[in-house]
DNA sequence: CATAACTATATTGTGCGCAATTGAATTGCG
DNA sequence: CGCAATTCAATTGCGCACAATATAGTTATG
């Protein structure tokens, strides 16, 4: 608790820098959302719905639980979201015969077709990012690491 | 549109890498939210409410508009949020006498006092991040740049 | 002065996001 | 077999987040 002209700042810098990181993450997440919104609107998808579809295009027929773990969402969020996707005829929900607690989400033909459209969306965002692929990859890894550190500290 | 063995990947890599950046930002934002939640609960604040308070601790008496611009939120989000902060006796809302369209948000004594508590919260998060200040600063700047690029492309 | 254009905030409706609860199905153990 | 513990999904309640709209106040223009 002695005076340390340089390090005495760490507490102040702590709240300030941290605050700025708060704003930065918060703002970046919303900016992403806003950038996608107009591109997804013609497809009739919201951004979280797009993320779910992305997960399904990667692997079709996943149970709700698996999607939830991949995206970090629980059933309270996914259940109504998936119902809307079902209403839009993009996915179907089928109970597993062997374990009827599970509901498998599978793409309809319409949902599978949409992947091609979505690739245009993704590439449009890629251009907006400036296409610095190395930079994007580095950022992605930094964010993953950040998430891990936060998760292990609080979860 | 010719074959370019290397660059023909850019479309595939595009959706994949982009998808991963989506997940990364999305997940990091939620991870931040979850990390803060248990720390803010004793203060009776949600994470967005904390961000608003942070803005007010930095500069008291800001009009709603200024807060909204700082955080990237509109009145549809802020109006009810500020009412809850007012109900909790953390802020007050006063109309500007010179321009009665504006509502200035000012801290109550209780709201001002809370800053000290919040610094503990911020430093706890700082520790959870591993305190790599350089790294945090770099990440913050990368996110700010990212946000700017997205904003200029879509806004 | 009057009226149009603009600005700041509030309201409404839809869709996340999560905690807590519920309910059905499965598994484990005696 | 019978019963408790567990698992998965759905539901409920609350709080963001934003588009669209409404309302009141201000400024600009004739």
């Amino acid at each position: 608790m002695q005076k340390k002209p340089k390090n005495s700042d760490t507490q102040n810098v702590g709240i300030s820098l941290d605050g700025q990181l708060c704003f930065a993450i918060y703002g970046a997440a919303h900016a992403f959302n806003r950038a996608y919104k107009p591109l997804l609107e013609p497809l009739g998808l919201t951004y979280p719905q797009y993320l779910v579809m992305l997960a399904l295009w990667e692997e079709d027929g996943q149970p709700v639980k698996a999607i939830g773990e991949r995206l970090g969402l629980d059933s309270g969020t996914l259940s109504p979201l998936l119902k809307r996707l079902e209403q839009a005829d993009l996915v179907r929900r089928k109970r597993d015969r062997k374990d009827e607690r599970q509901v498998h989400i599978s793409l309809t033909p319409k949902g599978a077709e949409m992947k091609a459209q979505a690739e245009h969306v993704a590439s449009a965002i890629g251009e907006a990012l400036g296409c610095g692929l190395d930079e994007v990859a580095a950022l992605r890894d930094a964010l993953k690491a950040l998430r891990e550190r936060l998760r292990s500290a609080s979860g």
Side-chain angles (χ1 to χ4, degrees), chain A residues 1-13:
Chain A
M1 301 303 178
Q2 327 273 326
K3 260 212 204 167
K4 296 180 188 173
K6 262 191 169 172
N7 293 349
S8 67
D9 289 344
T10 47
Q11 296 232 347
N12 299 327
V13 169

Side-chain angles (χ1 to χ4, degrees), chain A residues 74-140:
Chain A
D74 68 3
S75 64
T77 300
L78 286 176
S79 286
L81 186 156
L82 291 169
K83 278 186 184 174
R84 281 185 285 270
L85 288 180
E86 188 179 35
Q87 273 197 312
D89 191 34
L90 295 172
V91 307
R92 280 206 203 305
R93 293 137 40 73
K94 283 182 281 193
R95 292 223 166 252
D96 187 319
R97 302 221 169 159
K98 300 184 180 176
D99 184 344
E100 296 206 346
R101 292 169 304 180
Q102 294 186 40
V103 172
H104 292 272
I105 309 299
S106 55
L107 293 164
T108 61
K110 185 177 169 189
E113 272 176 36
M114 191 175 276
K115 182 178 184 179
Q117 311 262 17
E119 281 170 6
H120 297 333
V121 171
S123 61
I125 294 291
E127 281 179 31
L129 291 178
C131 281
L133 286 186
D134 294 348
E135 199 183 343
V136 167
L139 183 55
R140 179 202 58 195

